[in-house]
Amino acid sequence: MIDVTTLDLLRRDTPGVSGVVHLNNAGASFPSVSTIGAQVAHLQLEAVLGGYEAKAAAAEALVDLRSSAAGLMNATADEVAVTTSDTAAWAKVFWGFAFGGGFSERHRVVIDRIFYNSHYLSLLQAEKQFGIEIVVAPTDASGRVDVERFSSVLDERVALVSMTMAPTHSGIVNPVATIGAYTKAAGVPYFVDGCQALGQLVVDVEAIGCDVLTGTGRKWLRGPRGTGLLYVRRSFQDRCDPPGIDGVSATWDSATSYSLAPTAARFEEFETSTAGQLGLAVAIDEALALGLEAIAARVQHLATRLRVELSQRTNVAVQETEGPCSGIVTFVVDGVSASQVVAAAANAGINMNASSAPWARLDFGARGITEVARVAPHIYNTDDELDQLLSVIDSL
């Protein structure tokens, strides 16, 4: 439980809260003093030892990072790769599956309506390269997958199911575990985009039943930009021949042969930010120490309160009206564009964001909207800060 004392400690350990009301945590959240310190300390070590030598000194901590990340997702360390972003992780494993023979002409990839734009762009490329067909699963009015009708799309042509646990442009949460039960029964590989879930929701890859899950460090985990996580089930790894392999992900065995790393390391790259990874390690350990259940409860408290308050404004249409929700709250203000809402909040010292159609064409098209204002409170935010935002909205 995050009580008043814990909240006070969190805010004292988060320098950013002293200067601004930060409600853009779905974009990038504020890091802790310890996360910042780990990065700075390593950069200083690189300056006096050298980059390679400093990384060698951090070898044990980097091993611990994978163990902590595995604990975060209920996986094993050899099933975890550290990447530079959610998108980089998804592209590595998606194209690895494609290059490993996962697709042929007329194969189908089943996705949800809330699919993220950068992942969808890879599907469009694969459509051109392999002749796959992109199929959007049946959904309910909210945009969640309709699990009662989901099995209707699982025929022998489906090569992959790729779902979003929590989208970036909406606060809904998909029934990913129920979907996983269907894919397991059908023997179809199952990817889950956990970018907006890791760090604010309980994510258990065994309970979900996925073969792949991707995430980022900079959002709810409060880690550095330029860091990401990739889970690939051990039994699925050999089905992937990732692009962009190097001396970390593969071994050059002879002039005509190579062998891929026998673990999720086959999805990693040599040139990464060691400082960033060490910061991510601290951020994950801090989340685990607080407890994901406690974090989820705190985020839910703030987001639910904000939805209730906004719903009471006659000129505001909250977009998440039913079912399980994440910490993302989206809304539309009558006669005011989302960018104007964001600008008004910024003038009052409040960070928030907006989502527009190019980020979510399938979902926004189905809903007949072009943009939404987006707010995402985190564990260090307060009810007083939500009141400040509500005052700004009332002024509009």
Side-chain angles (χ1 to χ4, degrees):
M1 177 180 178
I2 297 179
D3 55 21
V4 174
T5 301
T6 305
L7 176 60
D8 182 58
L9 290 172
L10 282 168
R11 288 181 67 83
R12 280 191 284 167
D13 195 42
T14 307
V17 301
S18 64
V20 68
V21 175
H22 189 66
L23 297 173
N24 188 24
N25 296 290
S29 56
F30 277 157
S32 70
V33 169
S34 299
T35 295
I36 299 166
Q39 297 175 79
V40 172
H42 187 79
L43 291 174
Q44 292 173 334
L45 195 63
E46 287 185 339
V48 296
L49 283 186
Y52 283 30
E53 293 75 13
K55 183 172 184 177
E60 185 175 345
L62 294 174
V63 170
D64 291 342
L65 163 60
R66 284 157 182 79
S67 296
S68 294
L72 182 73
M73 298 181 279
N74 190 25
T76 59
D78 64 349
E79 294 175 313
V80 175
V82 183
T83 66
T84 55
S85 70
D86 171 87
T87 295
W90 199 88
K92 274 281 187 182
V93 72
F94 175 77
W95 288 108
F97 179 59
F99 293 163
F103 298 133
S104 62
E105 194 170 356
R106 295 187 68 252
H107 264 156
R108 288 179 163 181
V109 177
V110 177
I111 64 169
D112 49 43
R113 200 178 84 186
I114 54 178
F115 214 68
Y116 187 54
N117 70 334
S118 62
H119 299 179
Y120 195 82
L121 292 173
S122 285
L123 292 182
L124 292 176
Q125 286 184 308
E127 187 178 49
K128 288 183 178 181
Q129 295 296 322
F130 298 100
I132 66 167
E133 179 186 356
I134 304 168
V135 177
V136 180
T139 59
D140 59 23
S142 72
R144 297 178 183 88
V145 170
D146 186 336
V147 292
E148 293 183 358
R149 295 188 292 150
F150 178 73
S151 60
S152 66
V153 298
L154 282 181
D155 60 27
E156 69 282 355
R157 291 172 292 174
V158 176
L160 175 67
V161 171
S162 186
M163 294 286 147
T164 311
M165 187 168 181
T168 189
H169 65 277
S170 167
I172 66 174
V173 176
N174 246 339
V176 289
T178 304
I179 295 168
Y182 280 107
T183 60
K184 183 177 181 179
V188 176
Y190 181 31
F191 289 16
V192 171
D193 173 2
C195 189
Q196 291 289 0
L198 281 178
Q200 70 136 330
L201 299 173
V202 176
V203 175
D204 184 333
V205 294
E206 289 301 319
I208 294 171
C210 57
D211 298 292
V212 169
L213 187 136
T214 60
T216 191
R218 75 177 191 270
K219 297 182 185 291
W220 303 93
L221 282 173
R222 304 181 63 198
R225 297 202 69 172
T227 60
L229 293 172
L230 169 63
Y231 158 78
V232 184
R233 188 177 296 277
R234 188 184 297 109
S235 60
F236 188 73
Q237 292 171 9
D238 284 341
R239 298 184 66 175
C240 300
D241 190 356
I245 56 175
D246 60 23
V248 165
S249 49
T251 302
W252 193 5
D253 297 322
S254 73
T256 58
S257 65
Y258 67 91
S259 55
L260 292 168
T263 68
R266 68 176 57 193
F267 301 98
E268 295 186 338
E269 297 178 354
F270 174 77
E271 191 55 43
T272 56
S273 168
T274 303
Q277 291 188 358
L278 293 174
L280 177 62
V282 172
I284 292 174
D285 286 343
E286 290 182 338
L288 291 172
L290 276 173
L292 270 299
E293 293 84 359
I295 293 171
R298 174 65 184 170
V299 172
Q300 284 295 312
H301 161 75
L302 294 169
T304 299
R305 191 216 153 189
L306 192 55
R307 286 191 188 96
V308 170
E309 293 277 0
L310 288 170
S311 297
Q312 295 172 355
R313 271 78 177 164
T314 57
N315 66 326
V316 177
V318 177
Q319 300 299 294
E320 301 82 29
T321 57
E322 59 183 24
C325 290
S326 72
I328 296 174
V329 180
T330 61
F331 58 95
V332 176
V333 180
D334 290 345
V336 183
S337 70
S339 59
Q340 288 175 315
V341 177
V342 173
N347 287 336
I350 302 171
N351 293 341
M352 57 175 292
N353 211 330
S355 292
S356 58
W359 297 92
R361 289 208 176 274
L362 300 182
D363 192 38
F364 279 14
R367 288 196 273 162
I369 60 175
T370 58
E371 61 175 5
V372 293
R374 186 186 75 177
V375 179
H378 209 338
I379 50 176
Y380 46 69
N381 290 121
T382 66
D383 286 292
D384 286 344
E385 290 179 328
L386 299 189
D387 288 337
Q388 292 179 52
L389 174 66
L390 292 167
S391 294
V392 170
I393 293 170
D394 288 341
S395 72
L396 299 175

